[in-house]
Every structure is written in C-alpha cells, then in structure tokens.
Amino acid sequence: MSDTAITAATAQIMMMLRHPQDRPVVRSFFDPATFTASHVVHDPATRQAAVIDSVLDYDPASGRTNYASAQQIVDYVREQKLHVAWQLETHAHADHLSAAPWLQEQLGGQLAIGADIVRVQEVFGKIFNAGTEFARDGSQFNHLFRDGEGFKLGNLDCIALHVPGHTPADMAFVIGDAAFIGDTLFMPDYGTARADFPGGDARMLYRSIRRLLTLPVQTRLFLCHDYKAPGRDTFAWETTVGAEREHNIHVHDGVEEDAFVSMRTTRDASLSLPNLIMPSVQVNIRGGHMPEPEDNGVSYIKIPVNRL
C-alpha cells in the first residue's frame, strides 16, 4: 500500500479543515434489519453526490426483494436536488444485498468498487460453482479503483485507499475531510471488523486500520455497520480518527499487531456467519445484479451444503 496516498489524503483533509465551508455534506441512512449504514455525500458547491454502500431489502424466507430502504435515498437526493456521480461499494458485502443497480436506474452514477474484487469473484465463483458464464474480471462494475487513485466529486478532491483484511478488496474513500471506511473499524466501544471470510486476514486488517489511523485526528469516519455495544442504547455510525485511536477497544494506540491478531482470530472463531451471506455474496460479486435467470425466467440463489 502506498504511503503517498495517505500523504495526499492528509493534505486534502487539512485543506478542508482550513476551509470548513467546503466540507462535504453527509446524510446517512441506517437499516436496522442488517445493521447497515448507507451514506449520501455531496459537494455543497456543485451538489454532485455519491451514494455509498446502499441496501436492497431482501426477505430470505420468501426470496422477495423490495426497494423501501433505497427509496429513502432516492427521495433525499431528489429533495436536495443532488446529481449522483458515483455509486460506491466499499467491498462485496456479506450481510446485505446492494441496491446500486436500481439506484443507477433512478439516479445515475458510475458503479465502482476496488480492483481486487476480481480476487473475491474468483474465490466465491468457485464456492458457488458459478460456471464459466460468470465473468471474474470486474466487468459488472463501471470502474475499478486502485490504491491511491484520485477522483473528483464536484470540486472536492477524493482518494481511494485499499484497506484489505476483512476481504481482499476492501476500499476506503476519502472525500474531503470525511472517510468512508466500510468494514474495517466499528464505533470505538465495539471494536473492529471480522477477518475470517475466505480471503480475509487479521494481520492485514490491523495494518489497514493503522494506515487509516494515520489520517488527521479530526478526520470524520463514516462506518458501514453498528451493532450497539453493551450499555449503549442508540445506533451510531460516525466517529473520528482521534476517537478511534484513543478509545477503540480492539485497536487503540498501543495495541501491537500480534496481540490484535490473536484477539481477532479468537473472536472470529466464536462468530456465526451473517444471516444473509449466501444471497448477499452471490449478488454483490455481480455488482448487485441477481444471477442470470434460468430457462423458466427465474433467478436462483445457491446454498452450498457444508462448504462455508
């Protein structure tokens, strides 16, 4: 991972702190069914926006989908007269289905994810026996971000950072003074993301987190999930680099890599798989699209027996 990318991200954040009127505006939408926070971030000057980690509602008992959660995003974007330039995914989620294709139809924007999605597609393509018709080249997305790649959101400078560990393809998106960090850190009282999915790596997660925590302490961090730590009554999904460095129960300043890896490995061994991992991964490695319909016109989700 490039130190140059972090240096550039730090410089742009310091600029935002000197000119707070140019800071991006963030509106978050929390889905309690999957504990997922989706975010709409926009440049106040141009009103260009990005939608990050959207949720498609899915009932596993019936196999039915609906767009109630995503419709909230559509309503907000239209009310605020925003222009969506990007539909960003921090990774191929294992706990909810992405609504990005439907949101593209409603609002536009390029669908983008990290370039290492091809590694995730290769692993899960085999697990789900997806066949040769399933392309493992990332072509389901409009753009594949590489580490340190810069892009724009209106007048705002943005940088994509590769932060693997939870999966090989996780990305964080630094947009102005805000960083959207997916499944790396949770709120300080809850800790860090798991690293036991295929291709995950606790040691790599630690290094990715420490990399993120070199950003300025005032950097706003927007998380992908919250599960309410014991003793906390409300959900929360926004924190800062400074708060994480001081208070994160798993990885605050002073926690060494080997200690973190031991903790994370032990903790992960006690966790059950997410309820929606089977449909979520199959859909999300396809850019939020369902598997191709079979000869009766119906899409099917596979459940590999005794495989995960």
Side-chain angles (χ1 to χ4, degrees):
M1 294 185 289
S2 168
D3 291 337
T4 302
I6 286 289
T7 301
T10 296
Q12 77 179 40
I13 290 168
M14 297 307 293
M15 182 67 70
M16 291 292 104
L17 295 173
R18 287 196 293 271
H19 302 283
Q21 71 276 11
D22 296 329
R23 296 199 317 166
V25 176
V26 182
R27 171 73 157 84
S28 300
F29 299 82
F30 189 73
D31 175 44
T34 62
F35 306 100
T36 302
S38 304
H39 310 286
V40 179
V41 54
H42 77 267
D43 170 24
T46 66
R47 308 202 73 74
Q48 271 207 357
V51 178
I52 303 173
D53 291 336
S54 60
V55 173
L56 174 69
D57 299 308
Y58 177 79
D59 175 24
S62 67
R64 292 189 178 277
T65 62
N66 74 76
Y67 303 105
S69 295
Q71 185 64 51
Q72 295 179 56
I73 291 175
V74 172
D75 293 344
Y76 171 77
V77 167
R78 289 175 176 166
E79 287 167 3
Q80 297 297 313
K81 296 181 170 56
L82 305 181
H83 311 286
V84 174
W86 294 98
Q87 302 280 349
L88 300 177
E89 299 287 351
T90 56
H91 62 293
H93 309 276
D95 40 36
H96 71 272
L97 284 67
S98 171
W102 185 78
L103 286 170
Q104 274 190 302
E105 293 176 3
Q106 307 300 311
L107 302 171
Q110 291 191 77
L111 174 57
I113 200 167
D116 280 310
I117 186 62
V118 297
R119 295 176 57 193
V120 179
Q121 289 176 328
E122 185 63 33
V123 169
F124 281 100
K126 292 177 180 177
I127 289 174
F128 291 110
N129 198 29
T132 57
E133 66 275 13
F134 169 56
R136 295 158 168 83
D137 58 2
S139 58
Q140 300 85 351
F141 300 84
N142 301 123
H143 186 79
L144 301 181
F145 278 108
R146 302 199 175 273
D147 182 50
E149 182 177 345
F151 62 106
K152 299 287 285 189
L153 187 67
N155 295 334
L156 299 174
D157 291 321
C158 312
I159 295 176
L161 301 175
H162 186 211
V163 286
H166 176 63
T167 80
D170 280 59
M171 300 297 289
F173 298 102
V174 180
I175 299 175
D177 75 328
F180 300 85
I181 62 174
D183 285 14
T184 51
L185 290 162
F186 297 138
M187 292 300 290
D189 60 359
Y190 201 86
T192 57
R194 65 195 297 167
D196 60 328
F197 295 147
D201 186 302
R203 195 168 298 278
M204 194 172 290
L205 177 62
Y206 177 88
R207 295 173 185 176
S208 292
I209 289 170
R210 295 314 308 178
R211 187 185 191 216
L212 287 171
L213 294 183
T214 64
L215 292 169
V217 293
Q218 306 98 317
T219 306
R220 296 182 288 163
L221 300 181
F222 291 89
L223 317 178
C224 191
H225 296 289
D226 185 54
Y227 303 97
K228 285 199 297 191
R232 176 157 53 87
D233 295 328
T234 57
F235 290 110
W237 45 82
E238 180 181 351
T239 180
T240 65
V241 165
E244 295 284 359
R245 289 183 60 172
E246 187 172 355
H247 299 297
N248 188 286
I249 60 171
H250 292 167
V251 73
H252 57 77
D253 284 356
V255 174
E256 298 295 332
E257 183 173 318
D258 287 344
F260 175 83
V261 170
S262 177
M263 176 281 301
R264 190 69 263 170
T265 303
T266 300
R267 181 175 172 84
D268 288 349
S270 71
L271 300 177
S272 59
L273 289 175
N275 290 336
L276 296 182
I277 187 171
M278 297 299 182
S280 294
V281 173
Q282 288 178 76
V283 169
N284 294 337
I285 60 176
R286 292 175 165 87
H289 295 280
M290 294 292 168
E292 284 296 315
E294 298 192 8
D295 55 11
N296 62 355
V298 177
S299 293
Y300 289 86
I301 299 294
K302 292 182 177 180
I303 299 179
V305 178
N306 297 325
R307 181 65 176 84
L308 289 177

